[in-house]
Amino acid sequence: MTPLRIAILQSSGHPGDVAANLGALDAAAARAAESGARLLVCPEMFLTGYAIGDAVEQLAEAADGPGPAAVAAIAARHGLAVAHGYPERDPATGAVHNSAQLVGPDGRVLADYRKTHLFGPFETWHFRAGDTPVVTADLFGLRIGLLVCYDVEFPETGRAHALAGTDLLLVPTALMRPYDVVPEVLLPARAFENQMYVAYANRCGPEGEFDFAGLSCLAGPDGTAAARAGRGEELLVADVDPEVLSASRARNTYLGDRRPELYASLVPPVRVP
């Protein structure tokens, strides 16, 4: 298989302005397509902005709402897949979820994932946690999985994806300072221990009460960052190589060497004093 070129958009866009964010996504998609990328990964809540307070509820929409539909049209117009974050309203319950959606290069929605681990009072106030830990889609000969930001900081989520056969894990993110250790140390470790690629697309710069860290990256199965952004706006382009992944999995047999019969104590919830 030939390598899959992906583009990772590092940007905070225009908080609170969906139309402007769609314009920014369209421009990024054009640049990504020109670079030969077939997949564009955008940050957490990119459609609306992250630090938008009560506007989260006002701007939330269904997975097939006009905002996601506009993203799908952008994907189809440029002929590349797009993963993006947005506030999703469940039409059945009215609950708002911090979601990520993957759209194929034909504009067809392939996967929709609701963040399962909410971070801090802002998220626990505005969102309901999802309860489906593994969401994947098969595209470009790879199994592609979705997580959102804080989710990937739990080793169980990465391992669950590894056991489900995920080759490339997409993580739309809104990581704040001073947690640089996550993209610099944890992401490469997560990719290595689970023998997969991890694409981490972060926001950057001040936004409301937050200061986003940037440092978006593509971490590979060798435990290194194949590409890493700085602190500012950037479109990062890098390749996901199935042959490198296959060879690395043959050398590093973590999944085959597991002993699940010893791990029963990890299943019950941990009691925190």
Side-chain angles (χ1 to χ4, degrees), residues 85-171:
Y86 72 108
E88 177 193 356
R89 185 178 299 281
D90 187 324
T93 66
V96 176
H97 297 272
N98 186 336
S99 296
Q101 189 172 92
L102 175 64
V103 180
D106 58 357
R108 183 168 56 94
V109 175
L110 301 177
D112 195 83
Y113 169 78
R114 295 170 172 176
K115 188 173 186 177
T116 54
H117 299 77
L118 301 179
F119 178 80
F122 174 80
E123 291 193 5
T124 55
W125 177 260
H126 290 289
F127 299 108
R128 181 178 297 180
D131 56 10
T132 302
V134 176
V135 173
T136 64
D138 293 331
L139 184 66
F140 304 128
L142 298 170
R143 178 153 295 173
I144 298 176
L146 292 169
L147 291 176
V148 176
C149 197
Y150 194 39
D151 289 328
V152 79
E153 298 179 37
F154 293 82
E156 294 88 350
T157 61
R159 182 50 50 89
H161 269 279
L163 294 174
T166 295
D167 302 304
L168 169 60
L169 186 59
L170 310 181
V171 189

Side-chain angles (χ1 to χ4, degrees), residues 176-201:
M176 307 95 172
R177 293 184 177 186
Y179 303 112
D180 295 0
V181 66
V182 175
E184 291 179 342
V185 178
L186 189 148
L187 262 295
R190 198 65 79 236
F192 180 72
E193 70 191 5
N194 291 302
Q195 286 301 292
M196 61 173 61
Y197 282 93
V198 182
Y200 192 75

Side-chain angles (χ1 to χ4, degrees), residues 12 50 174-177 202-207 210-214:
S12 286
Y50 183 93
L175 180 83
M176 307 95 172
R177 293 184 177 186
N202 199 13
R203 306 178 73 84
C204 59
E207 185 182 331
F210 307 110
D211 186 10
F212 294 110

